[in-house]
Amino acid sequence: MFLLEDMAPEQLVHAVRTLASGGGVLVPAVGRQAIDGYLATRGGCDDSRLLPAVG
């Protein structure tokens, strides 16, 4: 689980419920950082091939 400290209370409640049911949570900002870090280690790629972020 990766959450940011400035999450809205409703988002936190949703995240806890998702985790309790066996799901996973990754806020969009953290997801973008993870993708950017991964691409940096692979020499990058054309961003036009990536799907737009949702949320």
Side-chain angles (χ1 to χ4, degrees), residues 23-40:
V25 177
L26 183 68
V27 295
V30 174
R32 184 72 233 180
Q33 289 176 348
I35 291 169
D36 289 344
Y38 174 75
L39 293 176

Side-chain angles (χ1 to χ4, degrees), residues 4-30:
L4 300 177
E5 61 186 38
D6 61 350
M7 284 182 73
E10 302 81 31
Q11 291 175 315
L12 182 57
V13 170
H14 175 71
V16 169
R17 288 182 176 151
T18 299
L19 292 170
S21 67
V25 177
L26 183 68
V27 295
V30 174

